[in-house]
């Protein structure tokens, strides 16, 4: 007698296998085994002629979905069917959430088992949890399955109905999505607010007072009993004081006059107030709060956070990481309290166990918060984890343990002092008992350092005391525009508005960036001009679909379908085919949308039009000579495009570049220009004999107006030959690149060794000795997640003899051979990855035109791959052809998104 257990990923299968008897066989489905067709080639011949086939949903037959087994899953399905032949029982052990329930249902439909079936669920992978789950199996919850299928169909209807409209009216390859488009609109609205923002200026005074050799700061708050204006008193749209506010706005002259008037005058304490404050710990992590804190503390993106958390869960370190719940089981509370008792002492333990409840009505993804797995919590040091895995586990461990710790008791102190008619305020904070802050401070990496930073100690003061003024100064301020969204703040906003599900936020943000709707720069999500155009079109013609309230109500209805409170078919019929349904709206609106207008972005205070073209955004303006077009630099954001920049770009196009001066040696003119990639200098004019004049980009952060002839001449000497390397005799150069200034040791065919140049070193002045010193230092990893050492060494290439290794990259693990990189699929684990599989991936990537390598390497890779996979070229050709189809663009994007997530179930937004 044998039992077949099916889970989603190989890592999860390996972990569970250790906790089950030898008669149990555990296999992985590698995520979904069935889905709606993602390309034209996946549509069965029998229905290819049907007009609904590309949609993948038969809207005329009760929205019946067309489910197909993707080509890359057919082998897996066959293996599962073969395994089932030898089994006397089938246990479906996919994750306990909507998507996990759906995967189990699809497996049931495909495998059609004739043996007894059980549904096993758990939210942590420990021996105790698995054994307990075995004794509490249940049936598949068909209501949850129906809710997930409705969600999948709804997302397909929105994406596949609106996206083609965007292709026709704005640009090829764009996409719309039920949650994605709302998220993009949030980014655009914030950028519009930044454009509308008007800066305000104000001045105040700051003083350094002293009493009993203890110094403390004081800030001006009143003059003549009238409140002094600060940033909160300004209207962001006018840059002026908000109408009706009775405040005193000081300018520089008035502030300095007041400073002079109070010099050497006595200061007196007029009031002192002490206010006790109690702070309670935050609840344990949910999916959303984990993504927010990992972004703030560890600078991890949502996709990266979920990939690492998925790995920690599957290896048995944490509980299930897709959850809306803050609830902790009795077992978890006991484990957390034991940690507090052992590590911090009984005084730091909350008097009573803290029990958290979830306020969100739709919270149903799992039944417990994200916490360390097991009945006892391993400290981070006991796990054997390292790197970013360790840091994320450490974050989860601290948050969970802190949730059962005592309150923090603080005293907030406010002191008012008077000098002449000017009133000053000093604020202090005293931590009387740190409580949970000993373990965890939200937004801070180091709790102990954070405690020190939080305390602001004031001297012992009483009313009537006369502190000494050691220093005082007038300080000018300017109000700041609303901050752009980070991944953390966008996730927080989506959750607070009830838009989407936290488990999908990572893939949604990934899609927004991948599709060119936003750029992630310095942790800020900056919308592009394309995002402006798409959002304007949707706001104008399909306002409900980008309205947070409407989308939130859709989410509630989907939750109600899961609980049986709503019927799925009437809802889909009303949404899509009703009188005001999506299909009807698109049909009516398509003819009314002018493509030229849709591709145009109108910005306040800008006379020229911003248009979306095949190669990006550009300016368009009428002049005496006719229509003028000028490219907009890629790093210029919508909020920062002002009339002066527009004038410069158009003038550069009509009158030619701005002449800086003449080169002292050649006599050729030197120009300062702005191109698609930002400002640069150019030597000489473009002519028949000089089609590509010498050009050099300006260093990042350098304003074009600050460029001198000498600086331009120096830039035009790049790359600078610094000399030869004493060991190899190869040349060493300094240059500017995409990632900034660098030095390079160029050994020709042997390879190039690069090092970044950081301040105070300068690319224009660095010498050979300093370059050699930099080159002798260990090479830093590029990006947060890429490791300088391989995750796994696979061995030597059978033909070239070069090593083939697996590395950790920004979008997940990848295999590298020479200059060819190939990403592992979302369901492939590093532990089980083989040299043979690496050769297959590398051959496929090379056949598709990815990477550069020597002819010998190319030949050997193809030869080795031919032994393992004879159909590589056909596969590549099919992929190329598929790109021409309407639906294949979605497949390409889905694959890119899937690469970013290891062993994760893919939720497609469009």
């Amino acid at each position: 007698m044998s039992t077949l257990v099916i889970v989603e990923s190989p890592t999860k299968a390996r972990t569970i296998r250790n906790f089950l008897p030898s008669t149990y066989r555990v296999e992985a489905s590698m995520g979904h085994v069935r889905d709606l067709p993602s390309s034209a080639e996946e549509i069965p011949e029998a229905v290819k002629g049907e007009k609904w086939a590309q949609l993948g949903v038969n809207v005329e037959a009760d929205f019946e979905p067309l489910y197909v087994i993707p080509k890359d899953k057919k082998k897996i399905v066959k293996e599962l069917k073969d395994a089932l032949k030898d089994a006397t029982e089938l246990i479906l052990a996919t994750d306990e959430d909507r998507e996990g329930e759906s995967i189990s249902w699809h497996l049931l439909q495909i495998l059609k088992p004739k043996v007894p079936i059980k549904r096993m669920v758990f939210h942590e992978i420990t021996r105790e949890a698995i054994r307990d789950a075995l004794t509490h199996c249940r049936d598949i919850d068909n209501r949850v399955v129906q809710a997930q299928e409705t969600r999948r169909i709804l997302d397909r209807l929105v994406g596949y109905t609106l996206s083609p409209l965007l292709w026709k009216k704005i640009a090829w390859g764009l996409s719309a999505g039920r949650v994605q488009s709302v998220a993009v609109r949030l980014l655009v609205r914030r950028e519009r607010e930044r454009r509308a923002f008007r800066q305000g200026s104000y001045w105040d005074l700051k003083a350094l007072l002293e009493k009993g050799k203890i110094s403390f700061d004081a800030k001006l708050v009143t003059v003549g009993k009238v409140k002094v204006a600060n940033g909160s008193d300004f209207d962001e749209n006018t840059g002026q004081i908000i109408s009706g506010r009775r405040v005193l706005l000081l300018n520089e002259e008035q502030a300095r006059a007041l400073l002079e008037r109070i010099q050497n005058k006595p200061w007196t304490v007029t009031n002192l107030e002490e206010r006790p404050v109690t702070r309670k710990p935050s609840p344990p992590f949910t999916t959303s709060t984990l993504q927010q804190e990992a972004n703030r503390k560890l600078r991890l993106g949502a996709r990266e956070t979920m990939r690492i958390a998925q790995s920690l869960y599957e290896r048995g370190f944490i509980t299930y990481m897709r959850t809306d719940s803050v609830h902790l089981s009795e077992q978890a509370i006991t484990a957390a309290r034991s940690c507090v008792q052992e590590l911090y002492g009984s005084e730091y333990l909350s008097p009573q166990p803290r029990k958290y409840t979830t306020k969100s009505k739709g919270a149903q993804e799992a039944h417990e918060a994200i916490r360390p797995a097991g009945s006892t919590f391993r400290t981070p040091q006991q796990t054997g984890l390292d790197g970013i895995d360790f840091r994320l586990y450490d974050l989860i461990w601290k948050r969970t343990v802190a949730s059962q710790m005592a309150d923090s008791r603080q005293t907030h102190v406010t002191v008012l002092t008077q000098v002449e008619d000017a009133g000053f305020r000093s604020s202090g904070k005293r931590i009387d008992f740190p409580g949970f802050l000993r373990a965890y401070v939200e937004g801070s990496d180091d709790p102990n350092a954070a405690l020190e930073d939080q305390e602001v100690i004031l001297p012992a003061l009483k009313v009537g005391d006369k502190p000494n003024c050691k220093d005082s100064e007038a300080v000018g301020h300017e109000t700041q525009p609303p901050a752009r969204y980070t991944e953390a703040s966008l996730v927080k906003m989506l959750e607070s508005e009830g838009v989407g599900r936290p488990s999908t936020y990572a893939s949604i943000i990934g899609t927004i960036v991948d599709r060119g709707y936003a750029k992630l720069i310095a942790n800020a999500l900056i919308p592009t001009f394309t995002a402006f155009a798409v959002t304007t079109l949707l706001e104008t013609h399909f306002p409900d679909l980008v309205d947070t309230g409407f989308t939130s109500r859709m989410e509630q209805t989907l939750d109600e379908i899961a609980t049986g409170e709503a019927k799925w078919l009437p809802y889909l019929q009303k949404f899509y085919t009703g009188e005001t349904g999506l299909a009807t709206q698109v049909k009516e609106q398509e003819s009314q949308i002018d493509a030229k207008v849709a591709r145009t972005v109108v910005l306040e205070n800008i006379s020229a039009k911003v248009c979306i073209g095949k190669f990006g955004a550009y300016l368009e303006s009428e002049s005496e000579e006719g229509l003028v077009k000028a490219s907009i630099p890629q790093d210029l954001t919508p909020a920062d495009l002002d009339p002066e920049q527009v004038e410069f770009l158009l003038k550069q196009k009509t009158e030619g570049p701005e002449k800086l001066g003449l080169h002292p040696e050649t006599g050729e003119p030197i120009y300062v220009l702005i191109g698609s990639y930002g400002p640069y200098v150019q030597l000489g004019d473009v002519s028949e004999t000089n089609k590509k004049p010498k050009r050099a980009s300006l260093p990042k952060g350098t304003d074009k107006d600050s460029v001198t002839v000498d600086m331009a001449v120096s830039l035009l000497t790049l790359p600078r030959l610094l000399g030869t390397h004493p060991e190899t005799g190869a040349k060493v150069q300094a240059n500017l690149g995409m990632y900034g200034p660098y030095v390079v040791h160029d050994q020709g065919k042997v390879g190039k060794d690069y090092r970044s140049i950081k301040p105070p070193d300068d690319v224009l002045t660095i010498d050979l000795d300093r370059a050699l010193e930099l080159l002798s230092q260990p090479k830093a990893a590029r990006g947060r997640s890429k490791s300088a050492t391989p995750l796994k060494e696979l061995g030597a290439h059978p033909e070239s003899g070069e090593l083939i290794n697996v590395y950790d990259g920004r979008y997940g693990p990848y295999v590298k051979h020479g200059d060819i990189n190939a990403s592992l699929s979302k369901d492939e684990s590093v532990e089980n990855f083989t040299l043979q599989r690496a050769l297959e991936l590398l051959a496929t990537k090379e056949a598709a035109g990815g990477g550069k390598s020597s002819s010998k390497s190319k030949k050997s890779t193809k030869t080795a791959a031919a032994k393992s996979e004879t159909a590589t070229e056909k596969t590549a050709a099919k992929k190329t052809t598929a790109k021409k189809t309407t639906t294949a663009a979605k497949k390409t994007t889905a694959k890119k998104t899937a690469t970013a997530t290891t062993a994760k179930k893919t939720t497609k937004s469009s």
Side-chain angles (χ1 to χ4, degrees):
M1 180 176 180
S2 64
T3 300
L4 174 63
V5 180
I6 302 179
V7 296
E8 298 98 318
S9 77
T11 305
K12 187 176 176 182
R14 271 197 310 279
T15 309
I16 290 175
R17 201 173 286 131
N18 296 327
F19 306 137
L20 294 174
S22 58
T23 55
Y24 284 71
R25 178 178 176 180
V26 187
E27 297 293 339
S29 70
M30 313 297 272
H32 278 284
V33 291
R34 215 170 58 152
D35 199 4
L36 302 174
S38 60
S39 68
E41 67 177 1
E42 287 188 351
I43 300 173
E45 288 294 334
V47 295
K48 263 191 176 174
E50 302 291 341
K51 61 182 181 180
W52 54 266
Q54 285 193 346
L55 188 60
V57 179
N58 191 347
V59 295
E60 298 172 358
D62 291 342
F63 293 87
E64 181 183 352
L66 174 64
Y67 286 121
V68 297
I69 301 173
K71 183 181 291 186
D72 62 345
K73 290 298 175 73
K74 288 183 178 178
K75 183 180 177 182
I76 294 165
V77 169
K78 183 181 183 304
E79 289 172 352
L80 292 176
K81 285 182 176 180
D82 290 342
L84 187 59
K85 291 176 184 177
D86 301 325
T88 54
E89 183 182 47
L90 173 63
I91 295 181
L92 300 169
T94 52
D95 290 339
E96 189 185 12
D97 61 6
R98 291 190 187 96
E99 201 164 358
E101 206 74 13
S102 178
I103 291 174
S104 283
W105 178 78
H106 279 291
L107 285 167
L108 206 59
Q109 301 301 306
I110 292 173
L111 299 178
K112 297 181 172 56
K114 296 178 181 178
V115 296
I117 306 152
K118 292 180 181 177
R119 173 81 171 101
M120 183 171 80
V121 294
F122 43 86
H123 49 267
E124 65 178 357
I125 305 177
T126 60
R127 184 179 302 278
E128 185 181 2
I130 298 302
R131 292 296 177 92
D132 182 68
L134 272 175
T135 61
H136 294 89
C137 290
R138 60 169 173 80
D139 294 329
I140 289 176
D141 190 330
N142 288 313
R143 289 189 304 186
V144 173
V145 171
Q146 191 63 72
Q148 178 60 24
E149 299 309 290
T150 305
R151 185 183 297 270
R152 182 72 187 93
I153 292 169
L154 191 64
D155 286 340
R156 174 58 71 102
L157 294 176
V158 173
Y160 274 44
T161 303
L162 282 179
S163 296
L165 182 67
L166 298 181
W167 301 345
K168 294 176 187 175
K169 303 299 182 180
I170 298 179
W172 172 260
L174 296 177
S175 67
R178 181 174 61 89
V179 180
Q180 170 197 315
S181 296
V182 176
V184 171
R185 188 193 184 206
L186 288 172
L187 300 183
V188 169
R189 283 172 61 181
R190 179 60 56 85
E191 199 74 0
R192 288 171 178 164
E193 290 170 3
R194 289 176 66 88
R195 279 200 64 82
F197 173 78
R198 295 295 174 265
Q199 196 171 67
S201 299
Y202 62 97
W203 284 72
D204 59 21
L205 305 184
K206 189 171 76 172
L208 181 65
L209 306 181
E210 184 183 57
K211 178 72 166 60
K213 296 186 178 180
I214 298 178
S215 300
F216 60 101
D217 293 326
K219 182 181 177 182
L220 179 70
V221 288
T222 60
V223 175
K225 297 185 178 180
V226 178
K227 178 180 177 291
V228 174
N230 59 34
S232 63
D233 295 311
F234 284 82
D235 186 331
E236 292 185 344
N237 297 314
T238 64
Q240 304 298 316
I241 296 295
I242 297 171
S243 178
R245 291 278 173 97
R246 186 175 176 270
V247 292
L248 174 64
L249 177 61
L250 295 178
N251 57 30
E252 182 177 4
E253 184 180 351
Q254 292 169 324
R256 295 196 183 282
L258 176 61
L259 179 65
E260 182 140 354
R261 182 157 60 86
I262 65 173
Q263 289 294 325
N264 302 318
K265 297 296 171 63
W267 292 65
T268 306
V269 175
T270 58
N271 190 37
L272 188 146
E273 179 186 342
E274 290 194 357
R275 182 167 54 92
V277 174
T278 300
R279 280 187 59 189
K280 296 183 180 298
S282 300
F285 281 129
T286 62
T287 301
S288 167
T289 54
L290 177 63
Q291 290 174 3
Q292 292 172 50
E293 269 293 82
N295 185 252
R296 283 195 292 260
K297 285 189 175 183
L298 309 181
R299 285 292 184 261
L300 291 176
R303 281 196 291 194
E304 223 170 339
T305 299
M306 293 309 290
R307 179 180 68 81
I308 298 163
Q310 175 95 27
S311 173
L312 290 175
Y313 163 66
E314 291 181 348
R315 288 181 286 163
F317 289 108
I318 63 171
T319 54
Y320 192 53
M321 68 293 152
R322 292 189 183 91
T323 173
D324 292 343
S325 175
V326 292
H327 168 70
L328 285 178
S329 66
E330 291 298 330
Q331 179 193 67
I333 291 174
T334 301
R337 292 178 71 82
S338 295
C339 284
V340 177
Q341 181 79 44
E342 292 172 15
L343 297 173
Y344 303 104
S346 56
E347 66 198 296
Y348 282 93
L349 195 61
S350 64
Q352 300 296 327
R354 296 186 189 273
K355 296 188 177 182
Y356 298 90
T357 55
T358 306
K359 296 177 182 177
S360 170
K361 179 186 175 184
Q364 53 160 4
E365 294 296 329
H367 304 298
E368 199 170 358
I370 303 171
R371 63 168 177 86
S375 55
T376 58
F377 293 168
R378 286 173 283 184
T379 64
Q381 291 74 22
Q382 292 170 336
T383 59
L385 295 168
D386 58 12
I388 198 63
D389 289 354
F390 175 90
R391 297 184 70 192
L392 192 66
Y393 179 85
D394 182 62
L395 199 64
I396 294 166
W397 184 90
K398 284 178 177 175
R399 177 91 163 211
T400 308
V401 170
S403 73
Q404 293 302 314
M405 293 179 73
D407 294 343
S408 167
R409 298 193 301 274
Q410 306 171 4
T411 299
H412 291 192
V413 184
T414 303
V415 176
L416 297 182
T417 49
Q418 192 80 16
V419 51
E420 294 288 293
D421 62 342
F424 285 74
R425 180 169 57 218
S426 303
S427 298
K429 183 195 291 185
R430 185 174 67 246
I431 297 178
D432 303 311
F433 176 65
F436 72 90
L437 296 177
R438 273 289 306 278
Y440 181 84
V441 180
E442 191 165 2
S444 173
D445 251 340
D446 184 349
N448 292 323
L451 285 176
E452 293 175 11
D453 292 342
Q454 285 194 356
E455 278 204 307
V456 181
I457 303 299
L458 297 179
L461 294 166
K462 60 181 183 296
V463 174
D465 280 351
K466 296 187 179 297
N468 297 322
C469 181
K470 294 179 65 178
D471 190 23
S472 58
E473 62 176 328
V475 183
H477 306 273
E478 291 180 335
T479 57
Q480 299 299 311
R484 292 186 173 104
Y485 284 105
T486 62
E487 290 196 41
S489 58
L490 180 60
V491 164
K492 187 175 182 180
M493 174 60 77
L494 290 170
E495 186 179 40
S496 67
E497 294 288 337
V499 175
R501 277 278 160 263
S503 58
T504 66
Y505 292 158
S507 62
I508 288 164
I509 292 173
T511 301
I512 289 171
V513 174
D514 292 343
R515 289 296 176 96
Y517 287 128
K519 294 179 180 179
L520 188 57
I521 301 174
N523 208 37
L525 287 163
I526 305 175
T528 61
F529 291 102
T530 301
F532 270 65
V534 169
T535 297
T536 301
L537 184 149
L538 295 177
E539 284 175 333
T540 305
H541 300 279
F542 308 97
D544 281 350
L545 291 179
V546 287
D547 178 69
T548 53
F550 179 80
T551 309
S552 177
R553 289 191 295 275
M554 289 172 69
E555 206 65 57
Q556 291 173 15
T557 304
L558 291 169
D559 289 339
E560 289 166 1
I561 291 171
T563 58
E565 299 173 60
K567 301 295 183 184
W568 69 275
L569 184 57
Y571 178 69
L572 285 179
Q573 289 171 334
K574 181 181 178 182
F575 173 80
Y576 193 73
T577 57
E579 290 184 9
T580 58
L582 180 61
T584 308
Q585 287 186 56
V586 170
K587 191 174 181 180
E588 291 175 351
Q589 295 289 335
E590 184 170 353
S591 59
Q592 299 177 29
I593 300 173
D594 185 318
K596 177 63 178 174
V597 173
R599 285 195 290 267
T600 303
V601 178
V602 178
L603 300 175
E604 317 83 43
N605 305 324
I606 301 295
S607 57
K609 295 177 182 177
V610 175
C611 302
I612 308 302
K614 186 176 180 180
F615 303 105
Y618 63 92
L619 294 168
E620 187 176 277
S621 179
E622 290 287 349
S623 70
E624 294 179 0
E625 291 107 16
L627 193 64
V628 180
K629 297 180 180 180
S631 296
I632 297 175
Q634 293 186 8
D635 61 349
L636 189 57
T637 67
D640 297 330
L641 183 65
D642 57 36
E644 291 75 21
Q645 290 166 320
V646 170
E647 183 183 0
F648 181 88
L649 291 168
L650 292 173
K651 184 179 178 182
Q652 177 179 290
K653 196 72 176 179
T654 55
E655 300 178 13
E658 179 183 330
K659 188 175 178 180
L660 185 65
L662 300 177
H663 194 284
E665 295 177 8
T666 67
E668 293 176 280
I670 297 176
Y671 301 105
V672 180
L673 302 95
I674 295 182
S676 298
Y677 299 98
Y680 63 94
V681 292
Q682 174 179 302
L683 178 62
D685 296 294
V686 178
S687 64
E688 282 296 320
T689 57
N690 189 24
K691 293 183 179 180
K692 291 185 177 181
K694 176 74 174 175
R695 291 170 178 170
S697 297
L698 299 190
K700 194 172 182 180
T702 303
D703 187 84
K704 64 179 179 61
D705 295 327
S706 67
V707 180
T708 63
V709 172
D710 289 342
M711 181 190 291
V713 170
S714 296
L715 288 170
L716 289 165
T717 63
L718 297 177
R720 292 174 55 224
L721 178 62
L722 304 180
T724 58
H725 198 286
E727 295 177 8
T728 64
K731 61 185 178 182
V732 177
Q733 294 178 309
N735 201 0
L736 274 172
M738 182 184 295
Y739 301 104
Y742 64 88
V743 291
V744 58
H745 176 205
D746 187 355
Q747 298 184 68
K749 292 182 179 180
V750 176
K752 297 180 180 180
D753 191 19
Y754 295 88
R755 294 294 185 279
S756 294
I757 298 175
K758 304 290 185 186
D761 291 321
D762 190 320
V763 68
L764 300 178
T765 58
I766 192 170
D767 59 19
L768 178 61
D769 288 342
R770 178 57 179 156
L772 293 174
E773 186 180 342
L774 290 177
L775 290 165
S776 68
Q777 296 172 1
K779 199 167 190 176
R782 179 181 294 170
R784 290 184 297 271
S785 61
K786 185 177 178 181
S787 173
T789 56
L791 295 177
K792 185 175 184 180
E793 295 181 356
L794 300 175
H797 193 284
E799 297 292 334
S800 69
E802 293 181 44
L803 288 178
I804 298 179
N805 296 326
V806 180
Y807 293 90
D808 189 15
R810 183 177 181 184
Y811 299 108
Y814 66 94
V815 62
K816 180 178 179 65
H817 172 237
D819 291 330
I820 302 177
N821 297 341
S823 297
L824 276 65
S825 73
K826 63 185 178 66
D827 299 317
E828 289 182 296
S829 68
V830 175
E831 293 87 349
N832 289 341
F833 198 70
T834 63
L835 176 61
Q836 191 67 20
R837 176 60 180 149
L839 293 171
E840 293 173 12
L841 285 179
L842 290 165
T844 302
K845 183 67 179 286
E846 190 174 5
K852 301 173 184 176
S853 64
S854 66
S855 57
K856 180 182 177 182
S857 175
K858 288 184 178 181
K859 181 179 178 182
S860 59
T861 304
K862 288 182 180 178
T863 303
K867 297 174 184 177
S868 59
E869 184 62 71
T870 56
T872 297
E873 292 183 7
K874 292 181 181 179
T875 304
K878 285 183 179 179
K879 287 182 180 176
T880 305
T881 306
K883 287 181 181 177
K884 298 178 182 178
T885 64
T886 302
T887 54
K890 301 177 182 295
K891 180 177 182 181
T892 305
T893 304
K895 285 186 176 181
K896 288 180 181 176
T897 306
T899 305
T901 312
T902 303
K904 173 182 172 184
K905 301 184 299 277
T906 305
T907 300
K908 303 185 184 73
S909 297
S910 60

